[in-house]
Every structure is written in structure tokens, then in C-alpha cells.
Amino acid sequence: MNIDEAAEKIKNMEIRGAAKIAVFAVRALRDFALNVEAEDEFDTLISRAATKLLDTRPTAVSLYNGIHYVMKYSGITVNEKKESIKSLADEFIERAERANEQIGRIGEKRIKNGSTLMTHCNSSAALSIIKTAFRKGKKIEVYVTESRPRKQGLITLKELDDEGIPTKFIVDSAVRYFMKDVDMVVVGADTITANGTLINKIGTSQIALAAHEARVPFIVAAETFKFSPKTLHGELVSIEEREASEVLEDEVLDKYSHVTVRNPAFDTTPREYIDLIITEVGAIPPEMAYVIIREYLGYALEEFEG
Ligand code: RI2
């Protein structure tokens, strides 16, 4: 697969889910680099490929962190550079995969036997917690939201069903109606900013509000790669707005002359509504986002410029 094909798969959401996107892009960049022949143009070609991958989906910061992890490559000869890219990429992929398991192990401790959970969209990190709790013998059931417009709730439904976890599938607008039956909300993250704000699938902030109102703990599952160093340097997170056709079929929309569709893929949940973030390095309050960025991502400002 070439870089254009890889980028297209991310853009059209054939590959989706923040963590999976990052791992897929890092793998694509590594494989591309290993096949570059041109000696004098090596750095230019790699940086062009990295930009192409980064330009696919703007919100999830793990894509950015993954690509930048690899772009720290060093070496004088092309072979040295290839070696360095391969080892950084493999290290990133291994860390991402291990993080998912560690999040499951840490997060499952917060789930009480007999709990009813709610999750939104399809997050591998949130599901790692839920599946680990179930595999440890805890009796749980899960409310799964449909997650319009892309209906990733169907993927979650299948994953939970494959595990044998009792699941109730609900439309997004039924969240507040059922919140009284829920003991804990567990969602994933596309990005967490330096001040502890969560950016996740559209609808997450409404769930957080409903949970807050009902005094239901709201837990976020996020690897350290989901924290945004860019926000520490003042950048705002750009929220991807996707095509109208994901929400309304063209034939329906074409009937109207004064209607447009707005389709943001993500929304923001302020830290006041978040009880805990489960990372691979521990369960932390959202206020500690700054510390995670400094200690575990630790990028210098220059790395984001130019
Ligand atoms: P993991 C997804 O985005 C959802 O917003 C999900 O909560 C988030 O990525 C994190 O998923 P999309 O790619 O990294 O479906 O935990 O737009 O798998």
C-alpha cells in the first residue's frame, strides 16, 4: 500500500479510532521509508509522506504524536535513517499496544461487580477496561449508544457481544432517559488538552452533562499519546467537520434550497465533568494533563514549528 492509499483509508474512516489510526499511520510511514531508494531526496520524501498522513484527520492527536515520534529519526546514511525509522515506529506501535492492555488492567479496578456501564462510539481503550473487568469475572452490563452519524456503536455492540457481555443498544437521544440506571460512564478520547479538556466523539459532552446531573462517575480511557503537547504551546484543537452526506442522503438534502447540514465529528467536555482519566501510567484527575504532557511526551516547542 502506498502513502496515498493509506491516507485515503484514514480519511474515509475505513481505518478509524484514534489509537488505530496512529498505529496504522506509523506503520505506513515506516513501510514507505523502508522502500525509498532515492538517497539525496530521502528526508524530503519522508517529510512529504508524514504531512500527507497528518492531513487526513485533524482532531485526534495520537496521529500527530505517532508521526512525530517517528520523525525524530536520526542517521547520516539512508540505511541508518531507515534503521532509525524502523526502530522508532516499532517502539511506538509496541507502546501503543501495551498501553491499551495497561489501561484495561488499571481501569477495571474502578468497576464494581454488578455495575451497569455506559459507553459511547467505539473506543479500544474504553473497551479494554470493560472487557478486562468482565474477563476478571465481574458481572456487568453495558448501555451502548448508536453514535450517529457513523454508527460506531454497532462495532462496539459486536465486540461486547463476542465477549458475551450483556448489552443494551440505545439511540443517542436516550442517554439522559437511561442515566438513572447507570453506575459509571466509560468513554475514550481523541485528544486531551493541557488543561484537561476532553475532545471525543460528538455527543460525549451531552453524556457527561447527563452523568454529572445524575452524579454518575464519568471516566475517560486514554493513553498518554492522546494528550496534546500542541495545546501546551497555545494551539487550539481543530474539530473535524465531515460531509453532509453522513447525516442526510444527498437525495433528501437536494429537495431543499435553504437547508445545510452541520456535522462536527467531535465535541469538547470540560474537565469539571470528568472524574478520572485512566492512562497506562495511572489513574489521574484531568488537572494532571499538564504533567502527563511534560513528563511523558516532553516535546520542545521547536519541534512543532517549521
Ligand atoms: P480509541 C474515535 O474516533 C472515537 O471518538 C473514540 O472515542 C476515539 O476515536 C478513541 O478511540 P473516530 O475515529 O483510540 O471514530 O480508544 O472518529 O480506540
Side-chain angles (χ1 to χ4, degrees), residues 103-154:
I103 286 170
R105 277 204 297 276
I106 295 172
E108 76 82 17
K109 295 185 188 135
R110 312 301 294 220
I111 296 178
K112 293 196 187 94
N113 191 30
S115 297
T116 298
L117 310 172
M118 181 181 279
T119 192
H120 184 50
C121 195
N122 176 256
S123 154
S124 52
L127 285 176
S128 175
I129 293 177
I130 296 171
K131 287 179 191 173
T132 310
F134 185 74
R135 286 175 193 164
K136 285 222 157 185
K138 289 182 187 169
K139 219 171 147 296
I140 52 171
E141 65 169 356
V142 187
Y143 277 93
V144 171
T145 55
E146 182 182 25
S147 313
R148 279 273 292 152
R150 303 283 303 206
K151 299 186 182 175
Q152 291 97 325
L154 291 171

Side-chain angles (χ1 to χ4, degrees), residues 13 16-21 57 120-126 152 188-190 200-201 221 223 226 266:
M13 291 181 72
R16 55 142 300 280
K20 286 193 189 89
I21 290 171
R57 295 196 68 194
H120 184 50
C121 195
N122 176 256
S123 154
S124 52
Q152 291 97 325
D190 287 86
N200 193 46
K201 184 55 55 195
E223 315 86 292
K226 301 283 180 56
F266 305 100

Side-chain angles (χ1 to χ4, degrees), residues 176-213:
R176 188 161 176 256
Y177 182 82
F178 287 113
M179 192 55 81
K180 61 184 182 316
D181 303 334
V182 172
D183 299 301
M184 185 182 278
V185 175
V186 188
V187 297
D190 287 86
T191 291
I192 295 172
T193 69
N195 73 358
T197 300
L198 164 70
I199 290 94
N200 193 46
K201 184 55 55 195
I202 190 78
T204 302
S205 65
Q206 286 179 172
I207 301 176
L209 260 180
H212 188 73
E213 178 195 46

Side-chain angles (χ1 to χ4, degrees), residues 60-105:
V61 76
S62 44
L63 169 63
Y64 176 90
N65 280 333
I67 294 294
H68 276 259
Y69 200 92
V70 177
M71 292 305 284
K72 284 189 288 184
Y73 71 87
S74 55
I76 309 227
T77 67
V78 164
N79 275 345
E80 283 166 2
K81 289 177 185 175
K82 285 184 180 179
E83 256 320 298
S84 170
I85 288 177
K86 185 180 175 328
S87 106
L88 286 165
D90 292 348
E91 189 177 280
F92 179 84
I93 294 164
E94 210 245 311
R95 273 179 71 171
E97 282 162 4
R98 199 158 13 101
N100 201 268
E101 284 164 36
Q102 283 160 333
I103 286 170
R105 277 204 297 276

